[in-house]
Amino acid sequence: MSDVYAEPTTAAGPTDPATLARYTTLRLGGPAGRLEIATDADEIVRKVREAEAREEAVLVLAGGSNVVIGDQGFPGTVVLVRSRGFRVVAEEGDTVTVRVAAGEPWDDLVAATVERGWSGLECLSGIPGSAGATPIQNVGAYGQEVAETIVAVEAYDRTHHEVVRMAAADCGFSYRGSIFKYSDRWVVLSVDFRLTRSPLSGPVRYAELARALGVEVGDRVPLADARATVRRLRAGKGMVLDAADPDTWSVGSFFTNPVLEREAYELLRERAADLGEPPHWPGAGDVVKVSAAWLIDKAGFGKGYAGPEGVAISGKHTLALTNRSGAASTAALVALAREIRDGVHARFGVPLHPEPVLINCTI
Ligand SMILES: Cc1cc2nc3c(=O)[nH]c(=O)nc-3n(C[C@H](O)[C@H](O)[C@H](O)COP(=O)(O)OP(=O)(O)OC[C@H]3O[C@@H](n4cnc5c(N)ncnc54)[C@H](O)[C@@H]3O)c2cc1C
């Protein structure tokens, strides 16, 4: 099995099996009221229903790579999603539709699709967590996002107490968002991805990736090359989980890239006039997406910037906040996040928003 769901092994780590820090990549989070492990879709639904019958709050947790859980933990039932597997459910022309169990480790799935010559997920290599969590924030990297290949999501609807199959158009996908994020109405049971049978990647859209591959933006490359290069680039930024590297004890990017109206972007340019043009990309409509990493760095929070209790900005990437001592509290991490958010706002007037889901804590 991949290391996606490995539990922390630091000596300073928690030993109580119900301590949620054991199940998060930040190694943070207090106790669960009750911890349940579900290994298939029926069991996931059953565990959720049983918790509801006990009138307990429910937290669905998979790889724990996009959550910040408070020091008080979660007083209700935490259902750990550990279902596995995928199968082809449709083949049409050169496309293949794969149904993936929610708990399937994401990078194992990407590896399997690359091996089989199914194109569409290769640039999402090396992202931790589960397949079932990818629709939650429309996981994306290096110019690809899952909204491009997801055709349906099977979920347990806790409002109507039924299992539903939702078409991609009903999932409300947006930049690092969907109708599932910040909602506990749906529990994802499986996800259908439509991929293309091809030995080549989709057109490479990300300039840094194209450079590393030695091709032009828009070119296609062998799937295995795309995967290996993405993983190498990510590893250099501490963005592939590594139990031995505290720079990866994070949730990846802590803040999303701010999306600004044109007017707000012009204000930013004025405030940053001494620093040159802020890195930015056109968004949908007349909006501009700016680099959160650049804002943070230029506001005085460089790589390695330390907060209390051994929390710090990763030494490899300005956007990742790490619990590098392995023994910090969520309060310490949140304090660092607040300091950065407030510092960026004071310097540039741009609000930063957290990318992970905050559970029983707030910044
Ligand atoms: C080193 C590192 C690098 C990362 N790089 C990227 C990146 O490049 N791009 C990117 O988009 N993300 C990135 N992430 C964030 C994270 O890996 C993804 O968001 C991932 O999809 C989270 O999966 P998970 O299984 O760990 O979710 P969890 O952290 O377990 O859960 C996240 C949220 O989804 C909910 N959830 C999980 N499973 C289900 C389910 N089956 N049904 C309903 N709700 C569910 C949880 O309740 C929670 O609200 C990175 C994280 C780390 C640590």
Side-chain angles (χ1 to χ4, degrees), residues 60 62-66 128-130 133 136-137 139-141 186 188 234 250-252 357:
V60 177
S65 64
N66 210 31
S130 63
I136 310 292
Q137 72 157 7
V139 157
W186 292 280
V188 175
R234 294 183 65 93
S250 74
V251 283
V357 175

Side-chain angles (χ1 to χ4, degrees), residues 3 69 233 298:
D3 63 355
I69 301 177
L233 289 174
K298 300 300 179 197

Side-chain angles (χ1 to χ4, degrees), residues 18-234:
T19 299
L20 292 170
R22 293 173 70 101
Y23 307 102
T24 67
T25 54
L26 267 172
R27 294 152 160 80
L28 292 176
R34 179 193 293 256
L35 194 68
E36 299 277 6
I37 296 175
T39 55
D40 62 36
D42 290 346
E43 202 174 16
I44 297 170
V45 174
R46 195 171 69 247
K47 300 281 185 194
V48 170
R49 281 186 170 149
E50 286 170 359
E52 287 170 340
R54 292 191 299 269
E55 298 188 357
E56 289 172 3
V58 177
L59 170 64
V60 177
L61 195 64
S65 64
N66 210 31
V67 286
V68 183
I69 301 177
D71 295 311
Q72 303 311 312
F74 187 80
T77 293
V78 174
V79 178
L80 284 178
V81 176
R82 295 293 184 262
S83 50
R84 288 287 192 281
F86 64 87
R87 65 195 167 92
V88 172
V89 291
E91 290 183 77
E92 205 180 309
D94 61 355
T95 68
V96 48
T97 303
V98 193
R99 181 159 301 160
V100 188
E104 180 70 10
W106 174 251
D107 196 49
D108 289 2
L109 173 71
V110 178
T113 62
V114 165
E115 224 167 77
R116 286 165 175 74
W118 298 342
S119 174
L121 304 180
E122 58 283 350
C123 293
L124 302 173
S125 293
I127 297 178
S130 63
T134 60
I136 310 292
Q137 72 157 7
N138 180 20
V139 157
Y142 293 95
Q144 251 173 16
E145 53 183 30
V146 290
E148 296 164 41
T149 43
I150 289 178
V151 285
V153 171
E154 182 191 39
Y156 176 60
D157 178 345
R158 295 182 59 201
T159 301
H160 294 115
H161 312 289
E162 59 181 0
V163 173
V164 293
R165 185 167 298 283
M166 303 163 72
D170 299 327
C171 297
F173 290 126
S174 60
Y175 165 59
R176 290 303 90 77
S178 73
I179 57 167
F180 307 115
K181 200 165 176 181
Y182 309 122
S183 164
D184 55 11
R185 174 169 169 183
W186 292 280
V187 181
V188 175
L189 303 174
S190 69
V191 185
D192 289 2
F193 296 89
R194 186 174 295 150
L195 307 173
T196 307
R197 283 188 195 283
S198 167
L200 297 180
S201 70
V204 175
R205 298 191 190 125
Y206 205 78
E208 181 195 14
L209 178 59
R211 267 196 309 278
L213 284 159
V215 300
E216 298 295 321
V217 168
D219 288 350
R220 296 169 188 265
V221 297
L223 290 175
D225 291 359
R227 173 169 168 78
T229 306
V230 165
R231 281 191 62 97
R232 179 168 59 76
L233 289 174
R234 294 183 65 93

